[in-house]
């Protein structure tokens, strides 16, 4: 793997059992993503975007082929190494935010650092910094039900970024947001990408997101149909 | 520690639901400790009272004697063994002679147990110093229960009829010289106490006794021919059995309460796992293993018991200490079951009861928390993240 490569995918096949047979969601995908990229996997519903993102995020495993993320290959990966990879190197942003409703903004953002057993003083600084990046310092004690959709997604971004991961996987992050909030969110992520050199990989079919991407990989029926860089 | 911290946050976030479960569990703690403390206190009191009033430090029984069979009384007598005669004369052991008899209070007929006891005895709390003879009248003592049933008062004269060693009926008048109150019905109900020497004379059994009660610090011979020694284990067996029966009956109440609390914990866990699938998926996406998430949910359920312990300590410790100081008044007639009972029972909370109760609730709560949480280990995280019911 080249030094700059964060994700390397070789001949990836993913099949799911359906009824008596199998459904092939990904069919012979080979891709690689470098450090600091702001890329997206686009395509219509059912094209395999989320499945690919889940496999890259080690939430799912390939049927065939090899996926290497931050130096960890899917071949010898077990539940423990997969969870270590996610805990240390990957941040997730979901369409539905997936915040803990009983936690405050601060506690939601703090959560990944608790899993990393970061010392309290260091943790507090990191959490406050992350909340400041997304401009929610005044909402620090609020709980998710008290936040708007845009604010919730910004908390999710802060939560994904607080541990300064090498890779952030965002699955349809703007699908539940209006245009203004979508742009705000994307600007925030773009800024973080530039400042922290974090690799962002989106799964989306939202034009608003696509406009921000520097590289667009298009999937259709589980295959890569185009891979373009945008100037 | 993280699991505890997260579990605490989740429980606090759940608000009223957590409080209700914690409250019910805390009542279980307090009630179980109180009930067990009460039975232990009762046992403790009853044993102490029975030692003071009835069994002393053990008893020698004439080999024919069976307290449950009055027909054995006629043959259950023998001379006080020479090995303990001196102790008997010094009042350190109390020989007692037993016989069936009939009294005629106010013209009615009543069967009783006539008991002769050495006046100088210093073993039992029966006030034998009141067995003072006046002229040729036989002094007699009755307990409050006996006095009530036969309408006896101090100074009353009472006709007593008995059969002597040869089976010949005889009768005499006794004078009630004292009425005593005892928490032990076995030394009171249906019996009259008279001086041992006079009873021996009445029954023509000089120097004889049916049983001999030992006092403190008396060196007893290992074996005496014709007599059998009954130690505390034997003499308290009936009391232990009765308290165990009552304790088992009482435990049904708190076990129902505990079962309700555990059911609430179980339901909450099942509901949590059903409703919080997206959260479970998110935990996994952030780097927790499924086993850790199972652990988190188990700790969350178990933490109900930990918080309940804290809450129970807040109101339970003062409450239990107050009961331990003031005691619990026993309903009138409790001792009519034949079980020794003081007017107020002071609960006795042993370390074993407290530790046992805490462990019982912690372990059962952990089990009912873990059982539904196992489902998480079979969940597909990608489905869970989307909140899809599995």
């Amino acid at each position: 793997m080249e030094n700059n490569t964060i994700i390397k995918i070789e001949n990836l096949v993913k099949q799911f059992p359906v009824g008596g047979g199998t459904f092939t969601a990904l069919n012979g995908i080979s891709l690689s993503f470098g450090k600091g990229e702001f890329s997206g996997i686009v395509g219509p519903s059912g094209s395999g975007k989320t499945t690919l993102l889940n496999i890259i995020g080690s939430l799912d495993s390939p049927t065939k082929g090899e996926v290497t993320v931050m130096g960890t290959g899917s071949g010898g990966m077990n539940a423990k190494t997969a969870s270590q990879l996610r805990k240390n190197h990957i941040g997730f942003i979901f369409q539905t935010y997936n915040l803990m409703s009983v936690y405050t903004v601060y506690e939601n953002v703090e959560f990944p650092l608790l899993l990393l057993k970061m010392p309290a003083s260091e943790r507090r600084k990191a959490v406050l910094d992350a909340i400041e990046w997304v401009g929610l310092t005044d909402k620090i004690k609020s709980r998710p039900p008290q936040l708007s959709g845009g604010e919730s997604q910004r908390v999710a971004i802060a939560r994904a970024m607080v541990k300064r991961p090498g890779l952030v996987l965002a699955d349809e992050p703007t699908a539940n947001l209006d245009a203004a909030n979508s742009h705000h969110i994307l600007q925030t992520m773009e800024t973080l990408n530039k400042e922290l050199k974090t690799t962002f990989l989106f799964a989306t079919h939202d034009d608003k997101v696509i406009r921000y991407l520097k590289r667009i990989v298009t999937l259709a029926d589980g295959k890569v149909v185009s891979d373009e860089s945008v100037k | 520690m993280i699991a505890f911290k997260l579990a605490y946050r989740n429980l606090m976030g759940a608000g009223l639901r957590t409080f209700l479960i914690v409250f019910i569990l805390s009542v279980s703690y307090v009630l179980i400790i109180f009930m067990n403390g009460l039975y232990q206190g009762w046992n403790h009191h009853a044993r102490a009272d029975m030692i003071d009033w009835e069994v002393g430090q053990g008893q020698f029984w004439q080999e024919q004697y069976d307290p449950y069979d009055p027909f054995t009384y006629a043959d259950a007598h023998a001379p006080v063994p020479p090995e303990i005669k001196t102790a008997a004369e010094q009042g350190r052991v109390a020989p007692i002679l037993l016989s069936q008899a009939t009294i005629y209070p106010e013209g009615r007929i009543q069967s009783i147990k006539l008991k002769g006891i050495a006046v100088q005895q210093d073993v039992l709390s029966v006030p034998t110093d009141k067995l003072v003879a006046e002229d040729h009248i036989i002094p007699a003592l009755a307990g409050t229960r006996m006095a009530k049933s036969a309408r006896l008062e101090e100074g009353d004269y009472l006709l007593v009829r008995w059969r002597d060693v040869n089976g010949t009926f005889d009768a005499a008048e006794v004078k009630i010289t004292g009425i005593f109150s005892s928490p032990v019905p076995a030394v009171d109900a249906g019996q009259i106490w008279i001086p041992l020497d006079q009873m021996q004379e009445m029954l023509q059994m000089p120097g004889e006794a049916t049983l001999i009660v030992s006092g403190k610090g008396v060196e007893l011979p290992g074996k005496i021919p014709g007599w059998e020694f009954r130690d505390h284990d034997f003499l308290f067996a009936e009391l232990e059995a009765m308290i165990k029966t009552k304790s088992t009956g009482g435990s049904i109440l708190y076990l129902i309460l505990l079962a309700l609390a555990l059911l609430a914990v179980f339901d909450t866990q099942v509901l949590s796992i059903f409703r919080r699938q997206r959260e479970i998926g998110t935990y996994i996406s952030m780097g927790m293993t499924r086993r850790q998430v199972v652990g988190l949910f188990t700790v969350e359920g178990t933490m109900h018991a930990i918080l309940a312990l804290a809450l129970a300590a807040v109101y339970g410790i003062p409450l239990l200490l107050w009961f331990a100081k003031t005691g619990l008044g026993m309903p009138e007639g409790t001792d009519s079951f034949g079980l020794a009972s003081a007017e107020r029972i002071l609960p006795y909370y042993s370390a074993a009861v407290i530790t046992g109760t805490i462990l019982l609730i912690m372990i059962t709560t952990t089990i009912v928390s873990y059982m539904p949480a196992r489902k998480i280990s079979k969940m597909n995280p990608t489905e869970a993240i989307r909140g899809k019911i599995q």
Side-chain angles (χ1 to χ4, degrees), chain A residues 95-114:
Chain A
Q95 177 183 339
T96 46
Y97 328 129
N98 289 29
L99 300 177
M100 314 301 171
S101 59
V102 297
Y103 292 3
T104 61
V105 166
Y106 182 93
E107 288 165 345
N108 265 287
V109 177
E110 186 190 27
F111 192 94
L113 303 183
L114 287 173

Side-chain angles (χ1 to χ4, degrees), chain B residues 283-305:
Chain B
Y283 286 139
I284 294 170
S285 77
M286 284 194 284
M288 288 179 86
T289 60
R290 275 181 274 207
R291 186 184 279 188
Q292 281 177 312
V293 182
V294 171
L296 173 64
F297 275 72
T298 305
V299 169
E300 208 171 295
T302 307
M303 195 162 269
H304 284 110

Side-chain angles (χ1 to χ4, degrees), chain A residues 54 59-60 79-80 83 86-87 92 94 96 98 100 102-103 107 110-112 114-115 117 123 159 163, chain B residues 2 5-7 9-10 13-14 278-279 281-289 292 380-382 385-386:
Chain A
N54 285 337
L59 289 170
D60 208 346
K80 198 172 179 184
S83 72
R86 291 192 297 270
K87 186 161 68 178
F92 284 89
F94 304 104
T96 46
N98 289 29
M100 314 301 171
V102 297
Y103 292 3
E107 288 165 345
E110 186 190 27
F111 192 94
L114 287 173
L115 296 181
K117 295 177 182 165
R123 196 168 70 223
R159 184 178 66 183
K163 62 187 175 190
Chain B
I2 290 173
K5 190 168 185 172
L6 297 177
R9 276 185 189 174
N10 289 336
R278 185 168 282 160
E279 185 181 326
T282 309
Y283 286 139
I284 294 170
S285 77
M286 284 194 284
M288 288 179 86
T289 60
Q292 281 177 312
N380 178 346
T382 60
I385 285 167
R386 289 189 288 152

Side-chain angles (χ1 to χ4, degrees), chain B residues 164-354:
Chain B
D164 67 16
V165 71
N166 301 312
T168 308
F169 281 104
D170 201 351
E173 221 170 23
V174 300
K175 183 183 180 185
I176 303 298
T177 53
I179 291 174
F180 63 88
S181 172
S182 166
V184 183
V187 298
D188 176 348
Q191 53 199 275
I192 296 282
W193 297 79
I194 61 172
L196 178 65
D197 52 355
Q198 281 180 293
M199 183 148 166
Q200 289 167 337
E201 196 179 315
M202 286 154 61
L203 268 61
Q204 296 181 33
M205 298 176 187
E208 294 195 12
T210 305
L211 59 115
I212 299 160
V213 184
S214 173
K216 268 185 189 167
V218 179
E219 278 188 31
L220 299 170
K223 274 195 170 183
I224 303 174
W227 295 81
E228 285 170 10
F229 185 70
R230 304 298 189 191
D231 62 9
H232 279 174
D233 286 345
F234 180 91
L235 295 167
F236 288 127
E238 193 184 353
L239 173 75
E240 299 274 359
M242 285 184 82
I243 287 180
K244 196 174 174 186
T245 306
K246 284 187 176 291
S247 162
T248 306
S251 67
I252 290 170
L253 174 72
Y254 62 70
L255 285 178
I256 288 172
L257 188 73
L258 181 61
L260 284 173
L262 292 176
L263 192 66
V265 173
F266 185 84
D267 277 355
T268 303
Q269 288 291 93
V270 171
L271 195 66
S272 281
I273 290 155
F274 181 74
R275 283 175 49 199
R276 292 163 63 189
Q277 302 223 12
R278 185 168 282 160
E279 185 181 326
I280 290 165
T282 309
Y283 286 139
I284 294 170
S285 77
M286 284 194 284
M288 288 179 86
T289 60
R290 275 181 274 207
R291 186 184 279 188
Q292 281 177 312
V293 182
V294 171
L296 173 64
F297 275 72
T298 305
V299 169
E300 208 171 295
T302 307
M303 195 162 269
H304 284 110
I306 296 169
L307 294 175
L309 181 62
L311 180 63
V314 169
Y315 72 88
I317 290 175
L319 190 70
L320 293 175
L321 288 177
W322 180 72
F323 270 121
K325 199 175 172 186
T326 60
L328 189 77
M330 298 303 283
E332 207 169 318
T334 305
D335 55 10
S336 63
F337 295 116
L339 192 61
S341 167
E343 284 177 9
R344 297 193 80 79
I345 297 290
L346 298 174
Y348 172 71
Y349 314 116
S350 67
V353 162
I354 294 168

Side-chain angles (χ1 to χ4, degrees), chain A residues 4-221:
Chain A
N4 198 32
T5 305
I6 290 256
I7 304 163
K8 185 163 184 165
I9 303 164
E10 292 171 295
N11 297 316
L12 172 64
V13 176
K14 179 65 184 180
Q15 293 174 320
F16 294 104
V18 177
T22 55
F23 167 72
T24 303
L26 297 171
N27 193 358
I29 305 277
S30 291
L31 285 168
S32 63
F33 294 92
K35 190 177 178 195
E37 278 194 28
F38 200 74
S39 316
I41 301 160
V42 302
S45 291
S47 58
K49 305 183 298 287
T50 300
T51 304
L52 181 56
L53 219 62
N54 285 337
I55 293 173
I56 292 169
S58 72
L59 289 170
D60 208 346
S61 55
T63 307
K64 284 181 197 163
E66 177 77 9
V67 176
T68 306
V69 179
M70 315 280 291
T72 307
S74 59
M77 197 182 282
N78 57 27
K80 198 172 179 184
T81 50
S83 72
Q84 288 294 330
L85 176 66
R86 291 192 297 270
K87 186 161 68 178
N88 294 309
H89 302 296
I90 302 175
F92 284 89
I93 298 168
F94 304 104
Q95 177 183 339
T96 46
Y97 328 129
N98 289 29
L99 300 177
M100 314 301 171
S101 59
V102 297
Y103 292 3
T104 61
V105 166
Y106 182 93
E107 288 165 345
N108 265 287
V109 177
E110 186 190 27
F111 192 94
L113 303 183
L114 287 173
L115 296 181
L116 288 171
K117 295 177 182 165
M118 188 182 274
S121 58
E122 224 175 293
R123 196 168 70 223
R124 182 170 172 74
K125 187 179 179 314
V127 173
L128 294 175
D129 284 349
I131 293 171
E132 199 181 335
W133 294 334
V134 296
L136 285 175
T137 307
D138 57 330
K139 302 275 183 182
I140 205 159
K141 287 181 180 168
S142 302
R143 291 178 199 276
Q146 299 165 308
L147 303 175
S148 69
E151 287 170 335
S152 294
Q153 195 59 298
R154 279 149 66 194
V155 176
I157 293 169
R159 184 178 66 183
M161 292 301 299
V162 70
K163 62 187 175 190
R164 310 262 182 132
L167 174 64
V168 170
L169 301 173
D171 189 6
E172 305 281 10
T174 56
N176 287 350
L177 303 177
D178 58 25
N181 268 312
S182 296
H183 286 298
H184 192 174
I185 294 294
L186 287 160
Q187 279 163 2
T188 306
M189 289 199 266
E190 196 176 40
T191 308
L192 291 168
N193 167 252
K194 280 178 188 164
E195 287 181 3
L196 304 174
K197 304 289 178 225
T198 305
T199 304
F200 278 78
L201 184 57
F202 295 81
T204 185
H205 62 278
D206 185 346
D207 289 339
K208 297 190 291 292
V209 180
I210 293 169
R211 261 181 271 153
Y212 280 84
L213 299 176
K214 303 290 182 287
R215 180 182 166 193
I216 301 168
V217 177
T218 309
L219 291 187
D221 296 328

